[in-house]
């Protein structure tokens, strides 16, 4: 992870995430490292929907996980709201409150109900800000009440209000992923990161998850989506990044990238998936 203070790059004012010279390597033996990301530069604008596509092993998920430092960058900078979150002196947990993350495998707590899964983080963080374990009982009750009311509003939105007291094991894959999205939304994030959110779903369940994501896109949520759903990327994204071998090989609006790709590797990839 970067341990130097960097100056915020010049921006036009609507940049939410600015990535500069991002590299990520994994040590695979005492003498050998595998470089997965190679000098990535990119800007994610507020209210922009960015789809990240490419072959398996191209670095897509690693790039996404670096955006909230779930993977520590080997070098480079990631400015989020003006702060370089790749700097070890920055409180990354504070920034993660504003970065929602949705994983391939849902990552719901099996021993907690749907409502508890959604309210766990908001209750913990608000209670911590109100005085932690020493917060007055009345304050804790109000925090819990507000978090549960917000959670129920979100559940009503996706038609799963009746599942509030159910456990994840009783839900379908599509329901679990929609709950996972709602759990991230409960924090009122500034950006949502999606790591192949439909890859673990049966084909008939993919649509209900994509429909919810389309709603978020239409409402102006800033989104970065690693996906194999080319039709979804074409329909929803403002911009598509094609990654190959650890670099962004091409980026363009979806109509341009899908209909008239410039990079030979992009052309080859699309010829196999479209």
């Amino acid at each position: 992870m970067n341990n130097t203070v960097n100056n915020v790059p010049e921006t036009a004012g609507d940049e939410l995430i600015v990535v500069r010279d991002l590299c990520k390597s994994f040590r695979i033996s005492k003498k050998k490292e595998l470089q997965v990301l190679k000098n990535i530069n990119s800007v994610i604008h507020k209210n922009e929907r960015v789809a990240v596509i490419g072959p398996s092993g191209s670095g897509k998920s690693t790039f996404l996980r670096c955006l909230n430092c779930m993977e520590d960058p080997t070098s480079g900078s990631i400015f989020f709201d003006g702060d370089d979150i790749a700097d070890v002196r920055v409180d990354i947990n504070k920034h993660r409150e504003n970065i929602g993350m949705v994983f391939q495998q849902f990552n719901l707590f099996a021993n907690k109900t749907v409502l508890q899964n959604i309210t766990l983080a908001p209750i913990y963080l608000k209670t911590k800000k109100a005085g932690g374990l020493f917060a007055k009982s009345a304050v804790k009750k109000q925090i819990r009440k507000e978090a549960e009311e917000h959670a129920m509003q979100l559940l009503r939105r996706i038609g799963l209000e009746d599942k509030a007291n159910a456990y994840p094991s009783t839900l379908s894959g599509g329901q679990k992923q929609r709950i996972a999205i709602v759990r991230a939304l409960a924090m009122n994030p500034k950006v949502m990161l999606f790591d192949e959110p439909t890859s673990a779903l049966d084909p008939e369940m993919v649509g209900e998850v994509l429909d919810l994501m389309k709603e978020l896109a239409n409402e102006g949520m800033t989104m970065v989506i690693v996906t194999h759903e080319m039709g979804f990327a074409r329909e929803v994204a403002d911009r598509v990044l094609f990654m190959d071998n650890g670099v962004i090989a091409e980026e363009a609006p979806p109509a341009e990238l899908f209909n008239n790709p410039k990079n030979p590797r992009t052309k080859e990839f699309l010829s196999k998936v479209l």
Side-chain angles (χ1 to χ4, degrees), residues 21 33-34 36 41 46 48 56 63 109 117 119 133 141 163 191 197 204 213-214 217 234 236 244 260:
D21 300 319
E33 288 189 346
L34 175 65
V36 178
N41 288 277
K46 295 174 183 176
E48 185 180 29
S56 298
F63 171 61
F109 293 104
N117 266 279
T119 60
L133 296 175
K141 289 181 180 179
K163 302 295 184 181
V191 59
E204 62 184 10
M213 294 172 65
K214 289 175 186 177
R234 186 193 293 266
V236 172
D244 183 53
N260 188 29

mmCIF file of all heavy atoms in Angstrom, residues 21 33-34 36 41 46 48 56 63 109 117 119 133 141 163 191 197 204 213-214 217 234 236 244 260:
data_model
loop_
_atom_site.group_PDB
_atom_site.id
_atom_site.type_symbol
_atom_site.label_atom_id
_atom_site.label_comp_id
_atom_site.label_asym_id
_atom_site.label_seq_id
_atom_site.Cartn_x
_atom_site.Cartn_y
_atom_site.Cartn_z
ATOM 1 N N ASP A 21 -1.844 5.294 -11.768
ATOM 2 C CA ASP A 21 -0.699 4.378 -11.807
ATOM 3 C C ASP A 21 -0.852 3.216 -10.832
ATOM 4 O O ASP A 21 0.098 2.829 -10.134
ATOM 5 C CB ASP A 21 0.598 5.139 -11.510
ATOM 6 C CG ASP A 21 0.849 6.255 -12.515
ATOM 7 O OD1 ASP A 21 0.608 6.030 -13.713
ATOM 8 O OD2 ASP A 21 1.279 7.349 -12.097
ATOM 9 N N GLU A 33 6.738 -13.038 -7.995
ATOM 10 C CA GLU A 33 5.494 -12.306 -7.832
ATOM 11 C C GLU A 33 4.717 -12.324 -9.149
ATOM 12 O O GLU A 33 5.308 -12.355 -10.229
ATOM 13 C CB GLU A 33 5.755 -10.852 -7.425
ATOM 14 C CG GLU A 33 6.247 -10.688 -6.002
ATOM 15 C CD GLU A 33 6.285 -9.232 -5.590
ATOM 16 O OE1 GLU A 33 6.180 -8.351 -6.478
ATOM 17 O OE2 GLU A 33 6.416 -8.968 -4.377
ATOM 18 N N LEU A 34 3.404 -12.297 -9.010
ATOM 19 C CA LEU A 34 2.532 -12.223 -10.184
ATOM 20 C C LEU A 34 1.907 -10.838 -10.222
ATOM 21 O O LEU A 34 1.181 -10.446 -9.300
ATOM 22 C CB LEU A 34 1.434 -13.288 -10.098
ATOM 23 C CG LEU A 34 0.379 -13.247 -11.207
ATOM 24 C CD1 LEU A 34 1.004 -13.572 -12.559
ATOM 25 C CD2 LEU A 34 -0.768 -14.212 -10.888
ATOM 26 N N VAL A 36 -0.753 -8.463 -11.335
ATOM 27 C CA VAL A 36 -2.130 -8.607 -11.818
ATOM 28 C C VAL A 36 -2.648 -7.310 -12.421
ATOM 29 O O VAL A 36 -3.400 -7.334 -13.397
ATOM 30 C CB VAL A 36 -3.046 -9.068 -10.668
ATOM 31 C CG1 VAL A 36 -4.491 -9.186 -11.128
ATOM 32 C CG2 VAL A 36 -2.567 -10.406 -10.124
ATOM 33 N N ASN A 41 -4.873 3.587 -14.917
ATOM 34 C CA ASN A 41 -5.314 4.966 -14.728
ATOM 35 C C ASN A 41 -6.769 5.071 -15.170
ATOM 36 O O ASN A 41 -7.118 4.640 -16.273
ATOM 37 C CB ASN A 41 -4.465 5.939 -15.551
ATOM 38 C CG ASN A 41 -3.065 6.099 -14.998
ATOM 39 O OD1 ASN A 41 -2.834 6.868 -14.072
ATOM 40 N ND2 ASN A 41 -2.112 5.351 -15.558
ATOM 41 N N LYS A 46 -19.086 11.118 -10.703
ATOM 42 C CA LYS A 46 -20.320 11.013 -9.935
ATOM 43 C C LYS A 46 -21.489 10.737 -10.884
ATOM 44 O O LYS A 46 -21.573 11.324 -11.963
ATOM 45 C CB LYS A 46 -20.564 12.307 -9.148
ATOM 46 C CG LYS A 46 -19.522 12.566 -8.078
ATOM 47 C CD LYS A 46 -19.729 13.926 -7.417
ATOM 48 C CE LYS A 46 -18.631 14.192 -6.396
ATOM 49 N NZ LYS A 46 -18.741 15.549 -5.792
ATOM 50 N N GLU A 48 -22.007 8.245 -12.663
ATOM 51 C CA GLU A 48 -21.625 7.476 -13.846
ATOM 52 C C GLU A 48 -21.748 5.984 -13.576
ATOM 53 O O GLU A 48 -21.497 5.523 -12.457
ATOM 54 C CB GLU A 48 -20.184 7.813 -14.241
ATOM 55 C CG GLU A 48 -19.734 7.148 -15.547
ATOM 56 C CD GLU A 48 -18.308 7.488 -15.906
ATOM 57 O OE1 GLU A 48 -17.495 7.743 -14.995
ATOM 58 O OE2 GLU A 48 -17.996 7.496 -17.110
ATOM 59 N N SER A 56 -11.557 -14.007 -18.079
ATOM 60 C CA SER A 56 -11.172 -14.417 -16.730
ATOM 61 C C SER A 56 -9.666 -14.273 -16.558
ATOM 62 O O SER A 56 -8.894 -14.571 -17.475
ATOM 63 C CB SER A 56 -11.581 -15.872 -16.486
ATOM 64 O OG SER A 56 -12.983 -16.024 -16.564
ATOM 65 N N PHE A 63 -9.042 -5.221 -9.656
ATOM 66 C CA PHE A 63 -9.211 -3.771 -9.829
ATOM 67 C C PHE A 63 -10.354 -3.261 -8.966
ATOM 68 O O PHE A 63 -10.220 -2.264 -8.248
ATOM 69 C CB PHE A 63 -9.460 -3.454 -11.303
ATOM 70 C CG PHE A 63 -9.856 -2.030 -11.580
ATOM 71 C CD1 PHE A 63 -9.004 -0.994 -11.252
ATOM 72 C CD2 PHE A 63 -11.079 -1.732 -12.170
ATOM 73 C CE1 PHE A 63 -9.362 0.339 -11.502
ATOM 74 C CE2 PHE A 63 -11.442 -0.422 -12.422
ATOM 75 C CZ PHE A 63 -10.583 0.619 -12.096
ATOM 76 N N PHE A 109 -24.750 -13.139 6.520
ATOM 77 C CA PHE A 109 -24.504 -13.896 7.745
ATOM 78 C C PHE A 109 -25.607 -14.930 7.917
ATOM 79 O O PHE A 109 -26.783 -14.581 8.092
ATOM 80 C CB PHE A 109 -24.462 -12.968 8.958
ATOM 81 C CG PHE A 109 -23.283 -12.029 8.954
ATOM 82 C CD1 PHE A 109 -23.441 -10.697 8.627
ATOM 83 C CD2 PHE A 109 -22.016 -12.489 9.271
ATOM 84 C CE1 PHE A 109 -22.357 -9.836 8.618
ATOM 85 C CE2 PHE A 109 -20.921 -11.637 9.267
ATOM 86 C CZ PHE A 109 -21.097 -10.300 8.934
ATOM 87 N N ASN A 117 -29.185 -8.759 9.037
ATOM 88 C CA ASN A 117 -28.114 -8.590 8.063
ATOM 89 C C ASN A 117 -28.060 -7.156 7.537
ATOM 90 O O ASN A 117 -26.982 -6.581 7.379
ATOM 91 C CB ASN A 117 -28.301 -9.555 6.887
ATOM 92 C CG ASN A 117 -27.544 -10.862 7.052
ATOM 93 O OD1 ASN A 117 -26.347 -10.921 6.795
ATOM 94 N ND2 ASN A 117 -28.246 -11.891 7.511
ATOM 95 N N THR A 119 -29.345 -4.358 8.960
ATOM 96 C CA THR A 119 -29.189 -3.300 9.966
ATOM 97 C C THR A 119 -27.895 -3.394 10.768
ATOM 98 O O THR A 119 -27.560 -2.467 11.508
ATOM 99 C CB THR A 119 -30.370 -3.314 10.954
ATOM 100 O OG1 THR A 119 -30.429 -4.595 11.622
ATOM 101 C CG2 THR A 119 -31.688 -3.053 10.233
ATOM 102 N N LEU A 133 -20.102 1.659 23.233
ATOM 103 C CA LEU A 133 -20.764 0.820 24.229
ATOM 104 C C LEU A 133 -21.365 1.650 25.353
ATOM 105 O O LEU A 133 -22.209 1.169 26.102
ATOM 106 C CB LEU A 133 -19.757 -0.184 24.807
ATOM 107 C CG LEU A 133 -19.191 -1.207 23.815
ATOM 108 C CD1 LEU A 133 -18.125 -2.051 24.496
ATOM 109 C CD2 LEU A 133 -20.299 -2.105 23.291
ATOM 110 N N LYS A 141 -31.801 2.481 21.330
ATOM 111 C CA LYS A 141 -33.127 2.072 20.864
ATOM 112 C C LYS A 141 -33.554 2.900 19.660
ATOM 113 O O LYS A 141 -34.143 2.377 18.709
ATOM 114 C CB LYS A 141 -34.139 2.203 21.994
ATOM 115 C CG LYS A 141 -33.980 1.162 23.099
ATOM 116 C CD LYS A 141 -35.028 1.341 24.176
ATOM 117 C CE LYS A 141 -34.854 0.301 25.282
ATOM 118 N NZ LYS A 141 -35.856 0.487 26.362
ATOM 119 N N LYS A 163 -39.863 -11.255 4.029
ATOM 120 C CA LYS A 163 -38.687 -12.070 4.346
ATOM 121 C C LYS A 163 -37.833 -11.446 5.452
ATOM 122 O O LYS A 163 -36.744 -11.950 5.737
ATOM 123 C CB LYS A 163 -37.823 -12.256 3.098
ATOM 124 C CG LYS A 163 -38.534 -12.914 1.922
ATOM 125 C CD LYS A 163 -38.927 -14.351 2.238
ATOM 126 C CE LYS A 163 -39.535 -15.016 1.009
ATOM 127 N NZ LYS A 163 -39.957 -16.417 1.291
ATOM 128 N N VAL A 191 -21.106 5.354 -3.854
ATOM 129 C CA VAL A 191 -20.809 4.526 -5.024
ATOM 130 C C VAL A 191 -21.079 3.070 -4.659
ATOM 131 O O VAL A 191 -20.906 2.665 -3.505
ATOM 132 C CB VAL A 191 -19.338 4.702 -5.476
ATOM 133 C CG1 VAL A 191 -18.364 4.327 -4.379
ATOM 134 C CG2 VAL A 191 -19.044 3.918 -6.761
ATOM 135 N N PRO A 197 -22.155 -9.791 -9.996
ATOM 136 C CA PRO A 197 -23.241 -10.091 -9.054
ATOM 137 C C PRO A 197 -24.203 -11.180 -9.500
ATOM 138 O O PRO A 197 -24.984 -11.674 -8.687
ATOM 139 C CB PRO A 197 -23.970 -8.747 -8.931
ATOM 140 C CG PRO A 197 -23.683 -8.044 -10.222
ATOM 141 C CD PRO A 197 -22.282 -8.450 -10.580
ATOM 142 N N GLU A 204 -32.494 -18.287 -14.542
ATOM 143 C CA GLU A 204 -33.827 -17.713 -14.364
ATOM 144 C C GLU A 204 -33.879 -16.674 -13.250
ATOM 145 O O GLU A 204 -34.849 -15.926 -13.135
ATOM 146 C CB GLU A 204 -34.842 -18.818 -14.080
ATOM 147 C CG GLU A 204 -34.578 -19.602 -12.799
ATOM 148 C CD GLU A 204 -35.541 -20.753 -12.612
ATOM 149 O OE1 GLU A 204 -36.281 -21.058 -13.563
ATOM 150 O OE2 GLU A 204 -35.553 -21.335 -11.525
ATOM 151 N N MET A 213 -30.613 -3.533 -10.325
ATOM 152 C CA MET A 213 -29.447 -2.725 -10.669
ATOM 153 C C MET A 213 -29.801 -1.650 -11.702
ATOM 154 O O MET A 213 -29.283 -0.532 -11.655
ATOM 155 C CB MET A 213 -28.323 -3.627 -11.170
ATOM 156 C CG MET A 213 -27.769 -4.552 -10.091
ATOM 157 S SD MET A 213 -26.590 -5.777 -10.723
ATOM 158 C CE MET A 213 -25.262 -4.700 -11.266
ATOM 159 N N LYS A 214 -30.695 -1.985 -12.634
ATOM 160 C CA LYS A 214 -31.139 -0.992 -13.614
ATOM 161 C C LYS A 214 -31.882 0.144 -12.934
ATOM 162 O O LYS A 214 -31.732 1.320 -13.308
ATOM 163 C CB LYS A 214 -32.039 -1.658 -14.664
ATOM 164 C CG LYS A 214 -31.305 -2.586 -15.621
ATOM 165 C CD LYS A 214 -32.287 -3.297 -16.547
ATOM 166 C CE LYS A 214 -31.586 -4.327 -17.413
ATOM 167 N NZ LYS A 214 -32.551 -5.076 -18.269
ATOM 168 N N ALA A 217 -29.344 2.395 -11.449
ATOM 169 C CA ALA A 217 -28.690 3.169 -12.508
ATOM 170 C C ALA A 217 -29.577 4.323 -12.953
ATOM 171 O O ALA A 217 -29.112 5.459 -13.128
ATOM 172 C CB ALA A 217 -28.362 2.258 -13.691
ATOM 173 N N ARG A 234 -24.225 -3.147 -22.155
ATOM 174 C CA ARG A 234 -24.598 -2.311 -23.296
ATOM 175 C C ARG A 234 -25.761 -1.376 -22.946
ATOM 176 O O ARG A 234 -25.788 -0.213 -23.344
ATOM 177 C CB ARG A 234 -24.986 -3.190 -24.480
ATOM 178 C CG ARG A 234 -25.244 -2.422 -25.771
ATOM 179 C CD ARG A 234 -25.935 -3.328 -26.781
ATOM 180 N NE ARG A 234 -25.092 -4.414 -27.232
ATOM 181 C CZ ARG A 234 -24.341 -4.375 -28.341
ATOM 182 N NH1 ARG A 234 -24.330 -3.280 -29.087
ATOM 183 N NH2 ARG A 234 -23.624 -5.420 -28.694
ATOM 184 N N VAL A 236 -26.975 -0.444 -19.743
ATOM 185 C CA VAL A 236 -26.943 0.373 -18.524
ATOM 186 C C VAL A 236 -25.720 1.287 -18.433
ATOM 187 O O VAL A 236 -25.807 2.404 -17.932
ATOM 188 C CB VAL A 236 -26.996 -0.539 -17.276
ATOM 189 C CG1 VAL A 236 -26.759 0.250 -15.999
ATOM 190 C CG2 VAL A 236 -28.344 -1.255 -17.221
ATOM 191 N N ASP A 244 -7.557 -6.553 -20.140
ATOM 192 C CA ASP A 244 -6.878 -7.747 -20.617
ATOM 193 C C ASP A 244 -5.444 -7.726 -20.102
ATOM 194 O O ASP A 244 -4.754 -6.701 -20.201
ATOM 195 C CB ASP A 244 -6.887 -7.795 -22.153
ATOM 196 C CG ASP A 244 -6.258 -9.077 -22.685
ATOM 197 O OD1 ASP A 244 -6.690 -10.162 -22.262
ATOM 198 O OD2 ASP A 244 -5.341 -8.975 -23.522
ATOM 199 N N ASN A 260 -17.941 -0.987 -32.643
ATOM 200 C CA ASN A 260 -16.754 -0.630 -33.415
ATOM 201 C C ASN A 260 -15.503 -0.639 -32.534
ATOM 202 O O ASN A 260 -14.843 0.388 -32.365
ATOM 203 C CB ASN A 260 -16.936 0.753 -34.050
ATOM 204 C CG ASN A 260 -15.827 1.089 -35.027
ATOM 205 O OD1 ASN A 260 -15.241 0.196 -35.645
ATOM 206 N ND2 ASN A 260 -15.526 2.380 -35.155
#
